[in-house]
């Protein structure tokens, strides 16, 4: 316990850093994921191509490589931002590809007749998707989205290697101070466990509230 109590400020700062990074990157991933999913089911061919390219490129690119591309590549084009913003972009864009596929699978569970009925009433594609399809698809994709955001929380540990304050990075400071590396990682693991279990509990409650009747 001494490792935790003697370095509470360090752990707390890292915990809040991971929490903030997870929350902001999750919001970005959800927004981008839904938009790209809309592109993938769009009747406009160029939008479908864009969605397919986005998903296939990001899903098949190692996250560490994406971090290097964002952190080292964007400044070469004059894009200079805090490392935290770069980390959010890398995590959010990467995770959006997985969110997209989860949402698209949910869209495919909605009977095609409902979309046809909406179009027969004069509704546009955007109205049909936003008012008819997505609300129904959302209920069936809560579990996979929850699992994806839990993975995002754990993936945020990579950001520590790019000068972003987060939980895993605290081990370097404590190791330099001579604290036991084993107990240092034990408390880091506990911190990640608190975050991931909280996400799991939140999505469990949403799934219970909006579950699909069988």
């Amino acid at each position: 316990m001494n490792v935790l109590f003697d370095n509470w400020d360090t752990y707390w700062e890292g915990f809040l850093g991971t929490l903030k990074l997870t929350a902001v990157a999750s919001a970005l991933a959800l927004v981008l994921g839904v938009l790209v999913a809309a592109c993938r089911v769009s009747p406009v061919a160029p939008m479908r191509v864009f969605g397919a390219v986005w998903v296939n490129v990001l899903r098949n690119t190692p996250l560490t490589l994406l971090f290097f591309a964002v952190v080292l590549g964007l400044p070469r084009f004059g894009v200079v931002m805090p490392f935290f913003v770069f980390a959010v972009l890398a995590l959010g864009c990467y995770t959006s590809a997985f969110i997209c596929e989860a949402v698209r699978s949910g869209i495919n569970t909605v009977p095609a007749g409902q979309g046809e009925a909406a179009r027969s009433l004069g509704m546009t594609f955007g109205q049909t998707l936003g008012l008819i399809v997505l609300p129904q698809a959302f209920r069936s994709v809560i579990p996979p989205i929850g699992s994806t955001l839990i993975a995002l929380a754990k993936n945020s540990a990579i950001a520590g290697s790019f000068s972003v304050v987060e939980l895993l990075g605290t081990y370097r400071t404590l190791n330099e101070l001579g604290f036991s590396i084993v107990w240092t990682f034990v408390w880091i693991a506990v911190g990640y466990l608190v975050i991931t279990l909280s996400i799991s509990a939140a999505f469990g409650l949403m799934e219970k509230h909006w579950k699909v009747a069988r």
Side-chain angles (χ1 to χ4, degrees), residues 16-33:
L16 289 181
T18 294
L19 197 61
K20 182 180 177 182
L21 182 57
T22 299
V24 179
S26 294
L28 177 62
L30 288 170
V31 172
L32 288 178

Side-chain angles (χ1 to χ4, degrees), residues 93-177:
C93 291
Y94 177 80
T95 308
S96 70
F98 297 90
I99 296 290
C100 167
E101 290 302 275
V103 173
R104 188 167 71 97
S105 69
I107 291 174
N108 290 335
T109 65
V110 179
Q114 297 199 26
E116 293 171 357
R119 287 192 294 274
S120 70
L121 294 174
M123 298 179 70
T124 64
F125 170 75
Q127 291 173 327
T128 301
L129 193 65
L131 299 176
I132 305 298
V133 178
L134 283 180
Q136 297 180 71
F138 170 74
R139 298 190 300 171
S140 64
V141 301
I142 292 175
I145 287 179
S147 298
T148 302
L149 295 186
I150 287 173
L152 183 152
K154 294 184 287 186
N155 288 337
S156 67
I158 298 176
S161 301
F162 295 88
S163 302
V164 177
V165 176
E166 51 79 43
L167 191 55
L168 184 61
T170 60
Y171 88 89
R172 287 189 292 269
T173 301
L174 301 187
N175 188 43
E176 292 173 357
L177 294 174

Side-chain angles (χ1 to χ4, degrees), residues 36 52 57 105 118 123 140 184 188 203:
V36 177
V57 169
S105 69
M123 298 179 70
S140 64
T184 296
I188 288 174
F203 275 84

